[in-house]
Amino acid sequence: MALTEVAPPDTGAGQRAQARRRPGRRWWPWRSYLARRVGKSAITLYLVVSLSFFLIRFMPGNPADAYIAQLMSSQGLSYADAANQARSVLAFDPDAPLVQQYLQYLGGLARGDLGESITSPGTTVVSQLTTFVPWTLFSVGLGLLLSFALGVAAGVLVAYRRGGLLDHVVTNVSSFLHAVPNYVWAMLILVVFGVQFGWFDVTAVRGTHSAGVEPGFTPEFIGDIFFHAGLPILVYVLTSFGGWFLTMKSSTVQVLDEDFVTVARARGLTGARIGVHYVGRNAVLPLFAQLAVSVGFVVGGSTLIERIFQYNGVGYHLFDALTKRDYPMLQGFILVLTFSVIVANLLADVLLSRIDPRISAGQEGR
């Protein structure tokens, strides 16, 4: 009697290996979660840039009209004289076909050329961006990081003492700070503490640094830039702290009720170790994705604050370009805003996929 060999039960590894060898199951770049996200981000960037190009030109007026109105109001010129001066100064043709302008703009983007300012001929958009964007990143970025650190620390502390007086006081104050818009806080600080109480010189804090201070990595220059950026940073911390605190408190309370925390307590672990390694580490993970998204709005959230404090950042000049209808400058600023938001969302997606691999695993092969 011949003995038949019994094959061991297949655990699924052999089937997966055969599936990978099949011609129809070849790996394509688009099947990668990261490649899909990068492709979608590139498409989104193109659509937003194109839409903003046309929306800017559909606004009432154009650079020539804005410049003529400025000359008539500031110098008292007639419309004909102001129009002649505008034609000789501005490098702008209002009668140029819109499609031609769009194709020229896309061609410049492909070459890395964002054009020159219409109202300030000879001034490139790239030079303006490289000059003003770092100041905005410094002030808003530092304010965001400080508010995040303070909100996370306070959220964990209050969550451990929830229901008490500290919980009610900090929660109510945080909700109030979060509800008031940042520009309202900026005007209150400037008018009440600067003008009424005279705690600081309103004119001295304007700009990004003092005129007589030599730029460099010196204590004098570093202290000077913190002096000028102090009030904007304070506003960003006040208006962002509440959101981080409330989110961290809610996340910590939820983690404290998890079974693994109960098991850790039953094992006799110290409260500090449980708070750091079990509670804090798991509670803060969702906030990192929100932090990545918030970084994308760093540049765009500074327009009104920088106008109020006369802080010489990208938000200040974005508003100025909008009033003058300076199309290339507006397009350059909007491109930076869009790119920062899209990249931040992409980083948040990648971060979440690393924290929870099920996100990317669920997208693979779709």
Side-chain angles (χ1 to χ4, degrees), residues 29-242:
W30 193 246
R31 290 185 178 273
S32 171
Y33 176 75
L34 180 59
R36 289 165 62 90
R37 294 302 305 158
V38 171
K40 292 179 181 179
S41 300
I43 295 174
T44 303
L45 179 62
Y46 168 74
L47 293 177
V48 173
V49 168
S50 299
L51 181 62
S52 63
F53 175 89
F54 291 103
L55 289 179
I56 289 173
R57 284 157 177 77
F58 289 155
M59 291 189 304
N62 56 54
D65 295 336
Y67 190 74
I68 291 172
Q70 178 185 357
L71 292 177
M72 293 175 63
S73 61
S74 61
Q75 301 182 15
L77 300 178
S78 63
Y79 180 83
D81 295 336
N84 291 331
Q85 186 171 343
R87 281 192 293 268
S88 62
V89 173
L90 301 182
F92 172 72
D93 183 11
D95 299 326
L98 192 59
V99 176
Q100 179 183 351
Q101 297 181 40
Y102 177 67
L103 295 178
Q104 291 177 351
Y105 175 60
L106 292 182
L109 283 181
R111 300 188 305 270
D113 181 14
L114 301 182
E116 295 184 355
S117 171
I118 294 177
T119 57
S120 300
T123 303
T124 63
V125 177
V126 174
S127 65
Q128 296 291 90
L129 292 175
T130 55
T131 301
F132 303 124
V133 168
W135 294 112
T136 298
L137 292 177
F138 168 71
S139 61
V140 189
L142 185 57
L144 178 63
L145 294 178
L146 287 176
S147 64
F148 178 80
L150 294 174
V152 167
V156 173
L157 177 62
V158 172
Y160 269 93
R161 303 181 180 181
R162 58 186 183 275
L165 178 62
L166 180 65
D167 182 11
H168 293 294
V169 172
V170 179
T171 301
N172 291 330
V173 171
S174 300
S175 300
F176 175 71
L177 293 175
H178 186 63
V180 179
N182 55 7
Y183 61 87
V184 175
W185 284 115
M187 290 187 292
L188 286 175
I189 292 174
L190 196 65
V191 174
V192 176
F193 298 103
V195 178
Q196 298 296 329
F197 293 166
W199 288 5
F200 58 89
D201 188 354
V202 175
T203 59
V205 298
R206 294 179 177 178
T208 54
H209 57 88
S210 302
V213 179
E214 186 70 22
F217 290 99
T218 61
E220 182 183 7
F221 180 73
I222 294 175
D224 186 69
I225 62 176
F226 272 102
F227 170 75
H228 288 274
L231 292 180
I233 291 174
L234 176 62
V235 172
Y236 300 138
V237 172
L238 287 176
T239 54
S240 302
F241 168 80

Side-chain angles (χ1 to χ4, degrees), residues 111 122 258 324 327:
R111 300 188 305 270
E258 295 290 342
K324 294 180 179 179
Y327 294 158

